């Protein structure tokens, strides 16, 4: 357990270091830079069937994103972005004992959208993410399971909102890193992979905005 905790903490530190090193890349691109704070809502569903894939384990959290963008024409923007995302992980259900876990990821992405000035904006983002984190559980049948993040994943998100000068407010729907599930009991053994999705609010601020 000590070794696992040490390795987990070491990997999380590596993710944070990668975020810090990549931050200047996102901020150096484009004529407008934006800092986005996103509270995340991820509903954790109950799952009472040990044979069914466990989904809905990705819970609430927060994402901090940095985006650099530039206008392609009067209403189209393109840019680069990256984020640092934290989500809770938990397996819920009847007769399931679960320790709370966490999911940390760093998405790096390309972005294309509409809305270069005040008014409605929309954007589509796609790229890849690094991820780490896990959660374990046991049940009354003598079984134990583990869900852990795959280290390298695809990333996609869709956002829409309103921009006013330096500030923006919107809604974002995004994929989470793919999760690998393993379960063992005296009578059953199986593995599966799945991906959850999250919904988050977006509060953006452009420090270098000019009229």
């Amino acid at each position: 357990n000590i070794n696992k905790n040490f390795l987990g903490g070491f990997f999380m530190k590596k993710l944070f270091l990668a975020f810090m090193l990549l931050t200047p890349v996102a901020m150096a691109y484009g004529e407008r830079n934006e800092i986005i704070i996103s509270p995340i809502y991820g509903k954790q569903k109950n799952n009472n069937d040990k044979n069914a894939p466990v989904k809905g384990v990705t819970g609430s959290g927060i994402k901090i994103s940095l985006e650099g963008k530039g206008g392609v024409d009067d209403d189209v923007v393109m840019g680069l972005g990256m984020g640092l995302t934290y989500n809770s992980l938990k397996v819920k259900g009847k007769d399931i004992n679960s320790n709370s876990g966490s999911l940390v990821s760093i998405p790096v992405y390309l972005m294309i959208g509409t809305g270069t000035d005040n008014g409605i904006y929309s954007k589509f983002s796609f790229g890849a993410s690094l991820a780490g984190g896990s959660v374990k559980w046991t049940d009354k049948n003598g079984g134990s399971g583990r869900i852990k993040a795959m280290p390298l994943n695809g990333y996609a998100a869709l956002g829409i909102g309103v921009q006013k000068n330096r500030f923006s407010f919107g809604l974002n729907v995004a994929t989470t890193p793919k999760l690998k599930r393993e379960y063992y009991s005296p009578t059953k053994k199986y593995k599966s992979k799945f991906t959850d999705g999250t919904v988050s609010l977006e509060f953006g601020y452009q420090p270098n905005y000019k009229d």
Side-chain angles (χ1 to χ4, degrees):
N1 289 335
I2 294 177
N3 289 335
K4 289 181 179 179
N5 290 336
F6 173 78
L7 291 174
F10 179 77
F11 187 71
M12 294 300 180
K13 290 179 180 179
K14 289 293 186 182
L15 285 179
F16 183 75
L17 178 61
F19 174 78
M20 296 301 294
L21 292 175
L22 290 171
T23 294
V25 177
M27 296 303 290
Y29 178 87
E31 53 198 51
R32 290 191 180 181
N33 298 322
E34 188 170 14
I35 303 170
I36 303 171
I37 307 296
S38 304
I40 298 170
Y41 174 74
K43 185 178 181 181
Q44 295 172 322
K45 300 177 181 178
N46 286 328
N47 188 294
N48 299 323
D49 185 354
K50 307 302 185 300
N51 290 311
V54 171
K55 294 185 178 181
V57 302
T58 304
S60 299
I62 191 168
K63 177 171 65 176
I64 302 173
S65 303
L66 304 171
E67 295 182 354
K69 54 188 176 181
V72 177
D73 60 23
D74 291 340
D75 196 50
V76 177
V77 296
M78 294 186 68
L80 299 174
M82 62 170 299
L84 177 63
T85 303
Y86 169 86
N87 290 90
S88 61
L89 289 177
K90 194 174 182 66
V91 181
K92 299 173 67 176
K94 185 178 180 181
D95 301 317
I96 289 179
N97 298 315
S98 172
N99 293 320
S100 296
S102 61
L103 172 63
V104 178
S105 62
I106 298 178
V108 180
Y109 53 88
L110 298 174
M111 177 188 63
I112 184 168
T114 61
T116 58
D117 213 331
N118 295 336
I120 302 295
Y121 73 82
S122 63
K123 59 183 178 180
F124 173 68
S125 306
F126 58 94
S129 68
L130 301 173
S134 65
V135 62
K136 297 180 180 180
W137 80 93
T138 60
D139 59 45
K140 69 172 185 178
N141 299 319
S144 62
R146 182 187 182 192
I147 291 176
K148 64 178 181 179
M150 302 297 289
L152 182 61
N153 304 266
Y155 174 81
L158 182 65
I160 187 171
V162 178
Q163 180 178 311
K164 178 65 174 177
N165 297 331
R166 293 179 179 269
F167 301 94
S168 66
F169 172 75
L171 187 69
N172 188 277
V173 179
T175 61
T176 62
K178 182 173 289 187
L179 301 173
K180 181 179 180 181
R181 174 196 187 224
E182 299 177 344
Y183 177 81
Y184 303 91
S185 77
T187 58
K188 298 175 184 177
K189 176 182 177 181
Y190 48 87
K191 299 179 180 181
S192 62
K193 296 178 182 179
F194 63 93
T195 300
D196 281 338
T198 59
V199 177
S200 63
L201 298 175
E202 288 192 338
F203 301 94
Y205 175 74
Q206 297 183 40
N208 65 336
Y209 176 83
K210 296 179 180 180
D211 292 333

